[in-house]
Amino acid sequence: MHPDLTERILQHLETVDKIDTLDLVEVFGEEHQKIVGALKSIEAHGDLVRTEPTSRKRLELTEEGQAVIANGSHEAVIYNAIPDHGIVQADLMKLTPAAKVGFSKAMSQGWIMLDKSVNPPIIKRKVDKIEDLVKENLIAIANGPEYAKTLTKLETDLTIDMMANALWKDLKFKAYNFNALGAPPSCGHLHPLLKVRGEFRQIFFEMGFSEMPTNNFVESSFWNFDALFQPQQHPARDAHDTFFINHPSKSYKFPQDYLQRVKQIHSKGAHGSQGYGYDWKLEEAQKNLLRTHTTAVSARMLYKLANQAEGFKPVKYFSIDKVFRNETLDATHLAEFHQVEGVIADVGLTLGDLIGTLYEFFRKLGITQLEFKPAYNPYTEPSMEIFCFHPGLNKWIEVGNSGVFRPEMLLPMGLPENVNVIAWGLSLERPTMIKYGINNIRDLVGHKVDLKMVEEGPICRLERV
């Protein structure tokens, strides 16, 4: 029992209604355990006092924190301990108990450096002045001018009622954080095909090409086949390869003089060509279909170029749009896909110009290893298949087709005899699948597409060389 302490506690309780034992520690300057012991002695005499357990939390700096306030952070102490001429690391480590921690942080902050040009290596200052943020952030807490025992909810919005009734004068508003990212807005997202299409368009524009209008999905057989010097008996014109339109099933508006020249080149030949030698039928050319390639658009543009009032001028055209073919659906084929096509018309163009243009075009796509193999197309001669080396698959893969348009296609349009036209085409889906790591084309287009993939898909950036 602590007679003096117990009496002092009872005397102190006459002046207050309620007090905490931790507060009595500060009042009497005694240890908390002695205060608790004296209090239990008082409780043993009956109901002199009433006690109840309570808890209190308090944040205090440790001895290390107090040392940081007095001397600075560990890294600052190390920095300040280094003389101008430097110091051996072993001697530096003996100066303070936390030297190892301070040395590591000072090195990572770039404040000090290890000079290995001398033996033994010495530690030197790397900067002339430092800012010890650790010490500055150890701040004392005191009551502010607007101190209150309870926290009121901070308003986030200024409403009309607050303005009308002047309530805003008595309210506290939350400060705006202009660095916050904010809630993502609900919006649409570009499909991966559109992202890759945008990159292709940019490459064509950089090379000086103009975009062709490709908004006519329904085309006549005349522009889709006959104008390209493709015979009416060609297997591609059968219903198992092409989608024909039932209504309207035929087209009737054609440039008649050009139509007669196309009929002549097919049935009897002209311009040094013997043609195909068959009975060309207008009814077959009138059939409407879903275009099987965007080359039908190229044919219309070349005819327009040949018959413009100001005469022929060299041009560069490109198009990227949908085409339709009656193909069996599998992991790499759809009945609807996109074709990328480039066309250049100029005087004296050769196969070498085509190869050089293809190297430049694919170089901008990040593809430098190309091979060309002879191929057959009804409307190009010579014709080439384009192959590139795929490092991931470690093999050559076909990426497109190309060639020089035949005179039998160009001369009936009215183009000068010395004008040649080079062209190439490839699909949009294959490079998109390679770029985004998609193995099945039905995961890219169709009802099985994962909308989350569309939403979170990265921006397309082709690795240009």
Side-chain angles (χ1 to χ4, degrees):
M1 186 172 179
H2 312 278
D4 294 339
L5 187 56
T6 55
E7 291 178 2
R8 290 161 63 191
I9 292 174
L10 290 173
Q11 292 172 2
H12 187 74
L13 285 175
E14 289 184 2
T15 61
V16 296
D17 294 331
K18 189 176 183 180
I19 195 169
D20 195 299
T21 54
L22 291 175
D23 295 332
L24 292 176
V25 171
E26 298 181 2
V27 172
F28 300 132
E30 299 286 352
E31 295 180 2
H32 184 258
Q33 192 61 36
K34 290 183 179 181
I35 299 291
V36 173
L39 189 59
K40 289 186 178 297
S41 298
I42 296 172
E43 287 181 314
H45 285 75
D47 295 331
L48 296 177
V49 295
R50 184 175 68 254
T51 62
E52 59 184 25
T54 184
S55 62
R56 181 193 299 181
K57 293 183 179 180
R58 183 171 60 185
L59 299 178
E60 293 182 349
L61 290 174
T62 62
E63 292 183 2
E64 183 181 6
Q66 296 288 352
V68 169
I69 288 180
N71 306 317
S73 63
H74 301 317
E75 52 267 36
V77 171
I78 288 294
Y79 176 85
N80 293 326
I82 299 175
D84 295 337
H85 59 274
I87 186 173
V88 178
Q89 183 176 357
D91 296 337
L92 182 63
M93 292 300 178
K94 299 176 183 178
L95 298 180
T96 172
K100 187 174 181 180
V101 175
F103 176 80
S104 175
K105 291 187 175 181
M107 288 289 288
S108 64
Q109 293 277 7
W111 293 353
I112 62 176
M113 59 179 290
L114 180 62
D115 186 1
K116 296 183 179 180
S117 62
V118 295
N119 192 16
I122 61 174
I123 307 299
K124 291 184 177 180
R125 294 181 179 181
K126 193 175 181 180
V127 295
D128 297 330
K129 183 180 179 181
I130 63 171
E131 185 179 3
D132 191 2
L133 296 178
V134 175
K135 180 180 179 180
E136 293 177 4
N137 290 333
L138 287 175
I139 56 177
I141 302 175
N143 293 349
E146 299 180 1
Y147 172 77
K149 293 183 179 180
T150 59
L151 293 177
T152 58
K153 182 181 178 182
L154 298 177
E155 300 292 339
T156 56
D157 296 308
L158 182 63
T159 65
I160 296 177
D161 291 337
M162 294 178 187
M163 297 283 290
N165 301 319
L167 297 176
W168 60 272
K169 296 180 179 180
D170 301 321
L171 297 174
K172 298 287 185 181
F173 289 88
K174 188 175 182 180
Y176 281 102
N177 181 6
F178 292 102
N179 295 322
L181 295 178
S186 178
C187 61
H189 299 272
L190 290 178
H191 190 277
L193 279 174
L194 292 179
K195 297 177 184 178
V196 178
R197 180 179 181 271
E199 283 290 295
F200 272 98
R201 291 182 77 245
Q202 184 61 35
I203 289 173
F204 275 115
F205 288 139
E206 290 176 1
M207 295 179 66
F209 283 71
S210 300
E211 190 166 12
M212 295 185 283
T214 55
N215 54 347
N216 51 326
F217 291 167
V218 176
E219 189 58 273
S220 67
S221 294
F222 175 79
W223 289 108
N224 197 83
F225 295 122
D226 296 272
L228 304 181
F229 195 57
Q230 190 160 335
Q232 294 183 339
Q233 300 85 7
H234 196 279
R237 302 179 70 153
D238 293 339
H240 66 269
D241 283 330
T242 302
F243 291 109
F244 288 95
I245 305 298
N246 290 330
H247 182 76
S249 61
K250 291 185 178 182
S251 293
Y252 300 94
K253 293 183 179 180
F254 303 102
Q256 291 300 315
D257 55 344
Y258 175 49
L259 184 143
Q260 293 301 321
R261 292 196 295 269
V262 170
K263 177 180 179 180
Q264 175 72 20
I265 199 72
H266 276 255
S267 57
K268 299 181 180 180
H271 309 289
S273 171
Q274 63 182 10
Y276 292 113
Y278 70 96
D279 185 16
W280 186 88
K281 298 183 181 299
L282 176 61
E283 295 79 10
E284 191 69 27
Q286 288 178 314
K287 292 181 180 179
N288 286 331
L289 48 80
L290 293 178
R291 67 182 179 207
T292 61
H293 46 201
T294 54
T295 315
V297 180
S298 302
R300 286 181 176 271
M301 293 300 293
L302 291 174
Y303 173 78
K304 182 178 178 181
L305 173 68
N307 294 274
Q308 60 187 1
E310 60 271 24
F312 172 79
K313 292 182 180 179
V315 293
K316 294 180 179 180
Y317 292 139
F318 82 93
S319 64
I320 307 173
D321 213 337
K322 292 181 180 180
V323 295
F324 310 86
R325 295 181 188 175
N326 191 6
E327 294 187 349
T328 302
L329 305 184
D330 57 29
T332 57
H333 294 85
L334 288 176
E336 174 185 327
F337 58 96
H338 290 76
Q339 181 176 334
V340 181
E341 182 165 344
V343 177
I344 302 177
D346 204 348
V347 175
L349 291 178
T350 65
L351 187 65
D353 296 303
L354 174 60
I355 293 175
T357 304
L358 290 175
Y359 267 110
E360 177 64 15
F361 175 77
F362 282 97
R363 183 186 69 83
K364 289 180 175 290
L365 297 179
I367 300 173
T368 56
Q369 293 179 275
L370 294 178
E371 279 190 356
F372 305 98
K373 295 184 178 180
Y376 169 76
N377 282 316
Y379 44 89
T380 58
E381 179 60 38
S383 305
M384 301 184 303
E385 291 178 341
I386 310 167
F387 289 80
C388 78
F389 185 77
H390 193 297
L393 300 176
N394 196 31
K395 67 177 183 179
W396 292 89
I397 62 172
E398 182 183 355
V399 293
N401 219 315
S402 65
V404 181
F405 283 146
R406 296 175 65 109
E408 292 94 331
M409 170 186 167
L410 302 179
L411 294 179
M413 293 179 176
L415 288 169
E417 292 187 2
N418 60 346
V419 170
N420 291 331
V421 179
I422 58 176
W424 69 96
L426 62 153
S427 76
L428 184 63
E429 280 75 7
R430 176 166 289 183
T432 303
M433 292 172 66
I434 294 173
K435 186 68 179 178
Y436 284 88
I438 299 173
N439 297 321
N440 193 323
I441 195 171
R442 286 167 288 195
D443 294 331
L444 179 67
V445 180
H447 66 282
K448 294 184 178 180
V449 172
D450 182 8
L451 295 181
K452 199 70 174 176
M453 177 272 294
V454 176
E455 179 179 344
E456 298 179 351
I459 295 175
C460 173
R461 284 292 181 266
L462 299 178
E463 299 173 0
R464 306 184 189 184
V465 179

